[in-house]
Amino acid sequence: MRKSNYGFWEIIKNIVFIIKTKLLVPKARLIRFPITIRGRRYIDFGINLTTGYRCRIEVNGKHEFPVLKFGKNVNIGDNVRISCANEIVIGNNVLIGSKVLIIDNAHGTYYGNNQDAPYIPPNERKLNTKPITIDDNVWIGENVVIQQGVNIGYGSIIGANSVVTKDVPKNCIVGGVPTKIIKVYDSKKEIWVNF
């Protein structure tokens, strides 16, 4: 078990944050302020959510039920932005580093039929959305960008500074821009092996 290295004033701040957390999101463990939450009625905060400082968690548009869903024991670092217009599901025991962007939407379409033209101002282009799923026990490193339509499999690790543009299989380590598989977990040998 790891021991905390919090100083006296940080302990006091965390006690205040815990009180504010229980008033704002009773099932969360600890939300550090300041935080921006938009579309709260469309968010299921799960159980024991922990956030860092200056996070922005938002749902755009109107929905009939929660479309941004957190599982149990999700831990989010500082300066994380999660932007949902379609659906984002984050599983249990997910660890998200600081300065991460998870976004299921983009201004415009740039493939297939009916592509947006550069003379249309970006903010006037139709919002293009695809859901994101992040399975249980995933670790997302610092400065990662996870783009729309991506599924990240159970137990995978996303290396720092990576851009995830396509699905990540379970039990693997990926990294790069765009991400590529670096290692996979060999369950028979119980070790990570080069891909």
Side-chain angles (χ1 to χ4, degrees), residues 96-145:
I96 300 173
S98 295
K99 301 176 191 161
V100 169
L101 171 63
I102 302 171
I103 186 165
D104 74 352
N105 57 84
H107 291 276
T109 301
Y110 308 99
Y111 53 87
N113 297 328
N114 302 318
Q115 295 185 26
D116 284 281
Y119 56 80
I120 300 170
N123 211 29
E124 293 177 16
R125 298 173 192 168
K126 184 179 177 187
L127 208 57
N128 179 4
T129 68
K130 292 181 185 169
I132 294 172
T133 302
I134 300 170
D135 210 342
D136 297 346
N137 293 350
V138 169
W139 176 18
I140 300 168
E142 201 92 357
N143 293 311
V144 168
V145 175

Side-chain angles (χ1 to χ4, degrees), residues 32-170:
R32 291 184 175 89
F33 295 83
I35 188 168
T36 300
I37 299 173
R38 295 182 180 149
R40 187 169 185 263
R41 74 178 97 172
Y42 307 120
I43 302 171
D44 177 349
F45 289 95
I47 298 171
N48 291 331
L49 174 68
T50 301
T51 72
Y53 297 97
R54 295 171 301 282
C55 291
R56 181 172 155 189
I57 300 171
E58 62 189 10
V59 173
N60 301 305
K62 293 185 178 183
H63 305 273
E64 295 179 20
F65 48 83
V67 292
L68 174 51
K69 303 169 193 166
F70 294 92
K72 296 177 188 172
N73 305 315
V74 175
N75 199 322
I76 299 173
D78 298 335
N79 299 299
V80 171
R81 179 177 176 217
I82 302 173
S83 177
C84 178
N86 185 312
E87 182 179 52
I88 298 175
V89 177
I90 299 173
N92 300 322
N93 306 308
V94 172
L95 177 61
I96 300 173
S98 295
K99 301 176 191 161
V100 169
L101 171 63
I102 302 171
I103 186 165
D104 74 352
N105 57 84
H107 291 276
T109 301
Y110 308 99
Y111 53 87
N113 297 328
N114 302 318
Q115 295 185 26
D116 284 281
Y119 56 80
I120 300 170
N123 211 29
E124 293 177 16
R125 298 173 192 168
K126 184 179 177 187
L127 208 57
N128 179 4
T129 68
K130 292 181 185 169
I132 294 172
T133 302
I134 300 170
D135 210 342
D136 297 346
N137 293 350
V138 169
W139 176 18
I140 300 168
E142 201 92 357
N143 293 311
V144 168
V145 175
I146 298 174
Q147 294 187 335
Q148 62 184 11
V150 167
N151 296 303
I152 299 176
Y154 179 94
S156 288
I157 300 169
I158 314 300
N161 302 308
S162 297
V163 177
V164 184
T165 59
K166 59 185 177 184
D167 290 353
V168 175
K170 69 178 185 176

